[in-house]
């Protein structure tokens, strides 16, 4: 029987509403990125595609601010980057120290345990950041092969300083693994200068491309550790020892690269290069300051003190007695603006407002503040 003959539902043309995406991701996609994605796919071993791959790797080093990192876009969203970072560097029983001050530190813990790590945790309250001293004490109490930390905690809006923690990790012989999902392309990651060993990100936050790829960067030291693994990587799809054979000189098939997502990433990175990294960081900062000033004028208090506040994502307390979910629904339905509620400890108490990549524009800030003024009346 022809199953299509029995369908009575009318499926209309796809027509997503023109949302202004000011949540924790995805962010708005630059029109040039959308145009690049519409190009016809070519073969994943086509010499022209290999040229595109080489360009993407060079552009990724630029945005990670690294001369020597091995970079590739892992297939999958930011969480695939997280999974690749952990799966490739954890062997059964390896001691791993995870810094937990929000939702994504919890996710790192969950994943690391699934790959057989012997996890220890150092914790501070949501919204706070770690001092090098706290990491040092944790490593003195128990050495670790990897110290994992979130650079930009999207659940809290805190920006973690990394320099001293990198120094402490290395002094104790550990690799520094950094979640740069909400920082890459929006705030400096400084891979080489900090001394990061493993960092991953996602295309849909400050890079202004759709979700679908997870750029990862490995230091030469990390590459050595990966090469000297005793056991096979527990995740076939994300096994970088195999994926690197496709992205390296050998060009052997592992899995089909998501061709059009790579077109998107290349264009997104070309936009970063055209704007200039410093100018881009400055834009994220300037628009965030405009938002912070406007929120203050509405008596809305940010969660994170200015010193550690993340330009790409702001958490703000919702005054008690307000139905925050109903207000967010109004923002969406009446003004086409998406912001997000809180996760975990912050659920129902805060909003998360993202100004990432192409979303980070003054007209979006003004529109949001104007809408808030009306609905908060
Ligand atoms: C969004 C995010 C992730 C996960 O990325 P997905 O694209 O949702 O898989 C991981 N870490 C941080 C800090 C994030 O903000």
């Amino acid at each position: 029987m022809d199953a299509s003959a029995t369908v009575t539902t009318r499926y209309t043309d796809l027509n997503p509403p023109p949302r202004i995406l000011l949540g924790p991701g995805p962010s708005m996609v630059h029109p040039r990125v959308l145009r690049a994605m519409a190009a016809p796919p070519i073969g994943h071993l086509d010499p022209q595609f290999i040229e595109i791959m080489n360009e993407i790797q060079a552009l990724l080093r630029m945005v990670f601010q690294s001369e020597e990192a091995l970079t590739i876009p892992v297939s999958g969203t930011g969480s695939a980057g997280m999974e690749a970072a952990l799966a490739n560097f954890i062997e059964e029983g390896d001691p791993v120290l995870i810094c937990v001050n929000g939702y994504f530190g919890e996710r790192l813990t969950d994943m690391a345990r699934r790959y057989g790590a012997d996890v220890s945790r150092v914790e501070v309250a949501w919204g706070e950041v770690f001092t090098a001293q706290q990491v040092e004490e944790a490593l003195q109490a128990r050495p670790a092969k990897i110290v994992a930390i979130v650079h930009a905690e999207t659940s809290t809006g805190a920006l973690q300083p990394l320099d001293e923690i990198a120094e402490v990790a290395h002094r104790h012989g550990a690799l520094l693994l950094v979640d740069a999902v909400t920082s890459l392309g929006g705030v400096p990651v400084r891979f080489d200068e900090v001394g990061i060993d493993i960092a991953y990100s996602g295309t849909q936050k400050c890079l202004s491309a759709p979700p679908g790829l997870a750029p990862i960067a490995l230091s030469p030291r990390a590459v050595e550790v990966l090469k000297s693994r005793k056991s096979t990587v527990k995740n076939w799809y994300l096994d970088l020892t195999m994926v690197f054979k496709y992205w390296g000189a050998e060009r052997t098939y592992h899995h089909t690269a998501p061709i059009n997502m790579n077109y998107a990433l290349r264009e997104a990175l070309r936009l970063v290069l055209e704007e200039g990294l410093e100018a881009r960081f400055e834009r994220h900062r300037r628009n965030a300051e405009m938002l912070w000033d406007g929120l203050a004028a509405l008596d809305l208090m940010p969660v994170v003190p200015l010193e550690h506040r993340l330009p790409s994502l702001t958490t703000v307390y919702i005054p008690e007695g307000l139905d925050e979910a109903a207000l967010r629904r109004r923002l969406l339905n009446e003004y086409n603006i998406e912001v997000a509620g809180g996760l975990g400890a912050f659920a129902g108490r805060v909003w998360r407002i993202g100004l990432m990549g192409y979303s980070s524009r003054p007209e979006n800030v003004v529109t949001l503040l104007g809408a808030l003024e009306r609905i908060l009346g």
Side-chain angles (χ1 to χ4, degrees):
M1 196 189 78
D2 178 357
S4 68
T6 65
V7 176
T8 54
T9 312
R10 210 179 130 256
Y11 294 96
T12 58
D13 285 350
L14 183 68
N15 189 22
R19 302 292 197 214
I20 300 171
L21 299 178
L22 304 181
S27 62
M28 297 170 90
V29 175
H30 196 285
R32 264 177 51 190
V33 173
L34 289 175
R35 280 202 294 278
M37 291 183 81
I42 58 176
H44 66 110
L45 292 171
D46 187 311
Q48 294 285 324
F49 189 68
I50 286 169
E51 181 60 30
I52 290 169
M53 292 165 72
N54 291 338
E55 290 171 349
I56 288 172
Q57 289 184 294
L59 288 164
L60 281 177
R61 279 192 295 279
M62 176 273 301
V63 72
F64 274 109
Q65 298 169 281
S66 178
E67 301 275 325
E68 53 181 15
L70 184 50
T71 54
I72 64 152
V74 170
S75 303
T77 64
S79 305
M82 186 187 287
E83 189 122 19
L86 294 171
N88 283 274
F89 290 93
I90 291 170
E91 297 195 63
E92 194 64 39
D94 278 346
V96 173
L97 175 67
I98 301 181
C99 305
V100 183
N101 60 349
Y103 181 86
F104 291 100
E106 295 290 349
R107 184 175 292 184
L108 278 165
T109 307
D110 182 3
M111 279 192 196
R113 287 195 174 128
R114 287 168 192 242
Y115 287 105
D118 180 3
V119 173
S120 55
R121 288 158 52 108
V122 52
E123 294 178 51
V124 295
W126 281 43
E128 292 179 11
V129 295
F130 294 92
T131 62
Q133 174 84 23
Q134 287 165 320
V135 175
E136 173 109 59
E137 281 164 16
L139 286 172
Q140 273 161 358
R142 213 185 76 136
K145 174 182 176 183
I146 299 167
V147 173
I149 196 161
V150 178
H151 187 207
E153 224 333 322
T154 322
S155 63
T156 68
L159 179 61
Q160 173 66 52
L162 293 173
D163 293 69
E164 290 175 30
I165 288 175
E167 190 274 316
V168 166
H170 293 152
R171 188 149 39 76
H172 286 265
L175 294 170
L176 182 68
L177 185 157
V178 172
D179 178 320
V181 176
T182 294
S183 52
L184 192 73
V187 298
V189 171
R190 297 163 50 244
F191 188 92
D192 285 358
E193 218 175 291
V194 169
I196 300 171
D197 293 297
I198 305 152
Y200 58 86
S201 189
T203 42
Q204 85 276 29
K205 306 224 175 163
C206 297
L207 294 176
S208 320
L213 289 175
I216 194 166
L218 305 184
S219 71
R221 179 171 27 203
V223 172
E224 282 313 306
V225 171
L226 180 59
K227 280 188 185 154
S228 58
R229 277 184 71 101
K230 292 183 192 66
S231 57
T232 51
V233 176
K234 292 269 188 292
N235 184 313
W236 185 91
Y237 193 75
L238 300 174
D239 182 344
L240 294 178
T241 65
M242 295 199 291
V243 175
F244 280 140
K245 287 185 186 154
Y246 172 58
W247 283 85
E250 296 166 59
R251 304 293 172 190
T252 43
Y253 167 68
H254 177 252
H255 66 271
T256 309
I259 304 293
N260 293 53
M261 269 312 300
N262 278 283
Y263 293 168
L265 177 58
R266 180 183 179 278
E267 190 62 15
L269 293 171
R270 215 160 67 95
L271 283 160
V272 175
L273 186 64
E274 272 173 35
E275 181 173 12
L277 274 182
E278 291 307 323
R280 194 175 176 93
F281 300 148
E282 174 56 29
R283 168 169 62 86
H284 279 82
R285 178 94 213 158
R286 204 171 48 240
N287 291 328
E289 281 170 355
M290 188 176 169
L291 172 68
W292 300 338
D293 288 347
L295 292 174
L298 293 168
D299 281 330
L300 295 173
M301 300 305 297
V303 173
V304 179
L306 190 57
E307 193 191 357
H308 298 301
R309 203 180 298 159
L310 182 61
S312 46
L313 188 119
T314 301
T315 44
V316 63
Y317 286 113
I318 301 309
E320 293 214 19
L322 290 184
D323 181 348
E324 67 85 19
L327 290 174
R328 278 191 291 122
R329 261 195 311 278
R330 283 193 62 192
L331 276 182
L332 192 69
N333 295 337
E334 296 172 25
Y335 298 96
N336 261 318
I337 299 172
E338 178 180 276
V339 300
L343 291 173
F346 283 167
R349 295 174 52 214
V350 310
W351 276 358
R352 293 182 298 151
I353 304 171
L355 290 174
M356 305 180 188
Y358 189 57
S359 290
S360 173
R361 280 176 286 151
E363 60 265 43
N364 291 342
V365 178
V366 169
T367 307
L368 172 66
L369 291 171
L372 282 179
E373 201 176 328
R374 283 169 181 267
I375 65 168
L376 293 171

